[in-house]
Amino acid sequence: MSAVETTAAPASDGGPRLIPAPRFVVGLILPILLAVGWEAAVRFGLATGRLMPPPSRVFATLWELAASGELARHIAATSLRVAVGFGLGVVVGTLAGAVAGYSTLVRRLIDPTLQGLRSIPSIAWVPLFILWLGIFEESKVALIAVGVFFPVYLGVMGAILSVDRKIVEVGRVFRLTGPALVRRILLPAILPAYVLALRSGLGLGWMFVVAAEFMGASEGLGYLLVDGQQLGKPDQIVAAILCFAVLGKITDGLVAAGSAPFLRWQDNFRRED
């Protein structure tokens, strides 16, 4: 029986049957408990809430920003940057990972350099991109694309290298042509890992956009973070962080939902608690 169950419904034998609560409801339990606990701690004087404001103050700040129209403007600016950077990073990372995974020569040629570049912190790219591209949108999008590129590249290359050779040999036995072999064997084999790579890249895209918006941005959630730090407004900082969390979760859910129809053939282990 599920650990979280809600309303009762008639079962086929006439008795009541409990309907499991939606998954997202279960996922909200922990953050709600933490928020209520911190709110109570501040209300009862157990904490000052000066540097870490209670949820009531954070939501009041969000309401003020939303009522003035600033919140929508900042969210739109940040989301657009992430969308463009994510698209560029996915395209380049997918192509580079596919070529490196398919060709041993290309992999030996480019992979050591890319692995070294992957270890560079995001902040280290900021002065170089400002010097190359200025402080406008091009440098911000480029930084986000760099963050997305590496997990997608690694995911695609690793997925291709992990394809079972026996499966490929079976395709050759059935005289599949090169395009047919890719479409019917390689693509289904690498698709689960590719989806995970996309989700990892998207998460890094949201992380890199903060560093990108430190580069002289006048709008965006990263700008709200900097503005809140300079003006000593922790409620605004936490509100921006909360927006990042919500937007990241929503976009990750969209990627997972969009890829689900292509992964229905999987018969993976799932434990039903």
Side-chain angles (χ1 to χ4, degrees):
M1 183 177 292
S2 175
V4 179
E5 294 176 323
T6 55
T7 58
S12 57
D13 57 358
R17 178 174 60 86
L18 294 178
I19 302 175
R23 294 180 182 178
F24 75 90
V25 174
V26 179
L28 291 175
I29 293 176
L30 180 58
I32 289 176
L33 288 177
L34 292 175
V36 171
W38 184 246
E39 182 74 30
V42 174
R43 292 292 178 94
F44 289 105
L46 301 177
T48 62
R50 184 174 64 87
L51 297 179
M52 183 60 186
S56 58
R57 281 175 51 194
V58 174
F59 286 118
T61 300
L62 285 172
W63 178 259
E64 292 175 4
L65 291 171
S68 65
E70 286 187 62
L71 185 61
R73 179 168 59 90
H74 292 308
I75 289 177
T78 296
S79 300
L80 180 60
R81 289 168 184 147
V82 172
V84 176
F86 178 71
L88 290 175
V90 166
V91 171
V92 179
T94 301
L95 293 176
V99 174
Y102 189 80
S103 171
T104 302
L105 176 61
V106 173
R107 183 168 63 255
R108 291 176 178 174
L109 180 65
I110 69 172
D111 189 63
T113 301
L114 293 179
Q115 295 297 341
L117 294 175
R118 185 170 66 92
S119 302
I120 299 176
S122 60
I123 297 296
W125 291 103
V126 171
L128 188 60
F129 283 168
I130 290 178
L131 184 64
W132 286 350
L133 303 171
I135 62 173
F136 301 105
E137 292 302 308
E138 292 82 359
S139 57
K140 298 175 178 59
V141 170
L143 183 61
I144 297 167
V146 167
V148 174
F149 167 83
F150 289 108
V152 174
Y153 162 77
L154 287 175
V156 173
M157 183 183 68
I160 293 176
L161 293 176
S162 64
V163 173
D164 194 339
R165 185 180 61 183
K166 296 178 182 178
I167 299 177
V168 179
E169 291 176 352
V170 169
R172 289 172 177 167
V173 167
F174 283 94
R175 301 178 182 272
L176 294 179
T177 61
L181 188 68
V182 171
R183 180 175 57 86
R184 300 184 62 179
I185 292 180
L186 290 181
L187 281 180
I190 71 172
L191 191 57
Y194 183 58
V195 172
L196 289 177
L198 291 179
R199 296 175 68 179
S200 298
L202 180 61
L204 280 179
W206 284 109
M207 294 171 62
F208 270 60
V209 74
V210 177
E213 290 179 341
F214 285 171
M215 296 190 290
S218 60
E219 58 183 6
L221 295 175
Y223 167 78
L224 282 182
L225 291 173
V226 176
D227 184 65
Q229 177 199 7
Q230 293 176 343
L231 299 180
K233 299 162 66 175
D235 49 337
Q236 180 173 305
I237 296 175
V238 177
I241 292 173
L242 182 62
C243 289
F244 273 118
V246 173
L247 289 172
K249 176 57 182 173
I250 290 174
T251 52
D252 179 75
L254 291 175
V255 172
S259 60
F262 302 100
L263 299 175
R264 288 177 179 172
W265 52 269
Q266 285 187 296
D267 188 18
N268 294 338
F269 168 76
R270 287 184 183 177
R271 179 179 174 181
E272 298 294 339
D273 293 328

